[in-house]
Amino acid sequence: MKTYRLNNGTEIPVIGFGTYKATGEAAASAVVDAVHAGYRLIDTAAFYGNEQGVGEGIRSCGVPREQLFITSKVWRTDRGYEKTKAAFPKTLSNLGLDYLDLYLIHWPASSSVYPDWEDINLGTWRAMTELYHEGKIRAIGVSNFKPHHLKALMETEVQPMVDQIELHPGQNQEEPTAYCRKNHILTEAWSPLGRGRIFQDETLLAIAEKYGKSLPQISLRWELQHGYLPIPKSVRPERIRENLDVFSFELSDEDMAAIDALPPFGSSGEDPDTFEL
């Protein structure tokens, strides 16, 4: 598995396996299938309610823990310094691990909901920074942060290493990706297949036919060639394997530009400045 190098020197696989909506035995089985297919980055979150199942898959996969890269996230109800410090050991316990490779703030506190949004984000970040210095997390970052959410964190002693955002053809996210690139923050892509909406786009269909590849493979390859880290998810073994088979071909500059130029479509509509569960 190829890797990117984060801004603290940590190596991270260039593609990950997502576990959203997979729970219990299904989550454990999917993780085992993913590891056997060749994935080494496994992405979960407290909000997914599947950390225990993911942990079971990690223990059952037959690959040593140190060869895996495990990510989880602190949920919005656990933001803030004290709550984050309390939430982290619960995540480790659920996963059955003694450290995480990457821990993210799942969603930013935003000004539309919290008058003290910046303090909440900074308190959460301070807790994560302490855990990072204690060696309990190898890298720390955020998810769904726009540049104005990131600004205060960039002024702290440890800058974010990752920003995981919704990113796929038809959802270029030009402003946050440019900001992350400028500030040496790796962009991860959740919903890299646009929740299936890419299957209706004629441009993508034509490109897929040209290369003899599936639409998901074209989408994932587009993200990889932009230097993003896609995190596709599936519980079907054949789809899990297919999503990893994206290193044997390369999209031309012309086809990359055609995908870049697609009009907006396929967005979940979950705006970090307004979205709140």
Side-chain angles (χ1 to χ4, degrees):
M1 176 63 69
K2 298 178 181 180
T3 61
Y4 294 124
R5 183 181 294 271
L6 300 179
N7 61 29
N8 72 335
T10 299
E11 298 284 338
I12 182 172
V14 300
I15 189 170
F17 179 70
T19 62
Y20 180 49
K21 292 190 176 181
T23 58
E25 292 183 4
S29 178
V31 168
V32 171
D33 288 339
V35 173
H36 288 177
Y39 292 88
R40 291 297 178 263
L41 190 165
I42 308 298
D43 181 275
T44 184
F47 175 69
Y48 298 170
N50 65 4
E51 288 176 326
Q52 291 180 329
V54 169
E56 177 59 33
I58 292 168
R59 290 186 294 275
S60 303
C61 71
V63 171
R65 164 67 183 97
E66 61 270 16
Q67 294 182 19
L68 301 174
F69 195 101
I70 310 302
T71 301
S72 194
K73 312 174 190 77
V74 59
W75 186 236
R76 59 185 65 191
T77 53
D78 289 319
R79 287 181 306 221
Y81 178 80
E82 296 294 344
K83 289 183 178 180
T84 299
K85 290 299 285 282
F88 179 75
K90 293 179 183 178
T91 278
L92 282 188
S93 177
N94 286 339
L95 288 165
L97 302 177
D98 54 11
Y99 73 94
L100 279 183
D101 296 283
L102 178 64
Y103 199 41
L104 307 177
I105 304 176
H106 204 150
W107 286 86
S110 65
S111 59
S112 65
V113 182
Y114 302 97
D116 58 343
W117 65 275
E118 197 165 67
D119 290 338
I120 294 172
N121 291 334
L122 282 169
T124 308
W125 190 248
R126 181 163 63 91
M128 291 169 61
T129 298
E130 289 182 5
L131 294 165
Y132 169 70
H133 283 317
E134 292 167 7
K136 296 177 181 178
I137 312 169
R138 296 179 62 217
I140 52 177
V142 298
S143 181
N144 301 300
F145 273 52
K146 294 182 177 182
H148 57 273
H149 301 126
L150 281 163
K151 183 178 178 181
L153 274 57
M154 296 299 295
E155 298 173 358
T156 66
E157 61 169 320
V158 177
Q159 296 182 351
M161 298 150 199
V162 167
D163 189 4
Q164 184 181 124
I165 60 176
E166 181 180 5
L167 183 62
H168 50 77
Q171 178 85 338
N172 286 5
Q173 296 272 40
E174 292 178 358
E175 183 183 11
T177 56
Y179 182 91
C180 286
R181 189 175 293 110
K182 178 182 178 182
N183 290 282
H184 309 291
I185 300 170
L186 176 65
T187 298
E188 290 186 338
W190 66 261
S191 192
L193 308 180
R195 299 189 177 184
R197 296 180 180 94
I198 63 170
F199 291 92
Q200 310 302 317
D201 185 80
E202 293 184 0
T203 297
L204 292 171
L205 286 167
I207 293 174
E209 183 177 2
K210 173 182 176 181
Y211 289 88
K213 298 295 182 179
S214 70
L215 281 171
Q217 288 173 319
I218 296 299
S219 178
L220 296 170
R221 185 67 208 178
W222 173 79
E223 289 145 8
L224 287 167
Q225 285 183 219
H226 272 304
Y228 308 142
L229 194 164
I231 305 175
K233 64 182 181 67
S234 180
V235 295
R236 295 167 53 187
E238 67 277 11
R239 185 58 57 79
I240 290 171
R241 292 191 296 270
E242 178 186 283
N243 288 343
L244 194 59
D245 183 17
V246 290
F247 299 101
S248 61
F249 72 102
E250 184 171 327
L251 298 173
S252 68
D253 291 344
E254 179 184 11
D255 291 327
M256 287 291 291
I259 299 174
D260 289 347
L262 289 173
F265 75 95
S267 170
S268 68
E270 297 169 358
D271 186 338
D273 283 323
T274 57
F275 179 69
E276 183 81 12
L277 286 178

